[in-house]
């Protein structure tokens, strides 16, 4: 966990992970930390025109204009110091034809070139959404179902009572309907999202679902000596 201390009211974000050799918009590569806002900003369509192309999606525009520029109604970025902490990177937009995928097969597909006809495979920008694989890899499993079993279980099946440890011990699971970045490769309007009971499914981009901004921090952002990195005592970042 970390919070941004530059704003008068801190926000809590979660660290998804450190991603090696991320390609930035300028073409260079660096190891970057990927973060996600801890709370949803409400419910909104992925795309109001029901098209699963992130490069033109209405939610993409909302996140990278109103939200990024501080004019969105809820939780927008309020100052230049915070905005300047976010790196512009190349996001992968690979799709899948079915929600019957494990975290690892989602990961491969997200970085692949299989998309619905005419859709781009990458998009350069600052703010996007988590992938299904981010959600899947975030579980620690539990005493009944260990992490290895969760990794071998398709995310579509995570609602099952026999694998409840997978979602219950997943730090990205919020118990709400929540959009991911992954589109369907076989249907022009479907996008994958996390169901409130913990499994991943595909549905129309026009539906109103929860959303949490996701970003990569610039490599020069440092952690202050405040915070332990826990939910109760998050790291605080020096961004000013």
């Amino acid at each position: 966990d970390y919070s941004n201390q530059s704003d008068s009211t801190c926000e809590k974000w979660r660290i998804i992970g450190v991603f090696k050799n991320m390609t930035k918009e300028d073409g260079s590569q660096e190891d970057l930390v990927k973060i996600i806002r801890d709370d949803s900003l409400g419910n909104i369509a992925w795309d109001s025109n029901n098209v699963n192309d992130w490069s033109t999606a209405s939610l993409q525009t909302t996140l990278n204009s109103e939200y990024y520029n501080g004019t969105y109604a809820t939780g927008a970025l309020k100052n230049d110091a915070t905005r300047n902490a976010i790196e512009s990177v190349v996001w992968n937009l690979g799709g899948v034809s079915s929600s019957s995928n494990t975290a690892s097969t989602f990961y491969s597909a997200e970085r692949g070139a299989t998309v619905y006809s005419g859709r781009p495979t990458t998009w350069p920008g600052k703010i996007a959404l988590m992938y299904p694989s981010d959600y899947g890899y975030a579980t620690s499993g539990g005493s009944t179902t260990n992490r290895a079993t969760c990794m071998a279980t398709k995310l579509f099946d995570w609602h099952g009572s026999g694998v409840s440890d997978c979602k219950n011990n997943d730090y990205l699971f919020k118990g709400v309907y929540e959009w991911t970045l992954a589109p369907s490769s076989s249907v022009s309007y479907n996008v994958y999202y996390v169901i409130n009971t913990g499994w991943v499914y595909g549905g129309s981009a026009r539906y109103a679902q929860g959303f949490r901004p996701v970003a990569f921090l610039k490599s020069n952002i440092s952690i202050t000596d405040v915070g332990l990195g826990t939910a109760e005592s998050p790291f605080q970042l020096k961004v000013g």
Side-chain angles (χ1 to χ4, degrees), residues 88-217:
S88 186
V89 304
V90 176
W91 299 79
N92 293 292
L93 303 179
V96 296
S97 60
S98 167
S99 53
S100 294
N101 283 275
T102 63
S104 63
T105 55
F106 261 116
Y107 181 90
S108 297
E110 291 155 6
R111 285 147 186 82
T114 303
V115 292
Y116 188 79
S117 178
R119 303 287 188 259
T121 58
T122 60
W123 168 80
K126 294 180 179 292
I127 310 289
L129 303 168
M130 71 173 176
Y131 291 106
S133 64
D134 291 331
Y135 170 67
Y137 283 129
T139 187
S140 60
S143 58
T144 302
T145 307
N146 62 23
R147 189 174 190 275
T149 301
C150 294
M151 292 297 96
T153 303
K154 297 172 181 178
L155 299 186
F156 178 81
D157 294 324
W158 273 26
H159 64 289
S161 59
V163 293
S164 59
D165 283 345
C166 299
K167 64 178 177 64
N168 290 341
N169 295 306
D170 188 311
Y171 67 83
L172 294 182
F173 178 57
K174 304 297 290 185
V176 299
Y177 287 82
E178 181 178 353
W179 286 120
T180 76
L181 191 56
S184 169
S185 60
S186 58
V187 181
S188 66
Y189 52 83
N190 270 8
V191 178
Y192 291 93
Y193 55 92
V194 179
I195 302 288
N196 65 341
T197 52
W199 50 298
V200 173
Y201 191 61
S204 295
R206 62 180 172 82
Y207 293 160
Q209 314 272 25
F211 71 104
R212 289 189 285 164
V214 173
F216 286 87
L217 293 173

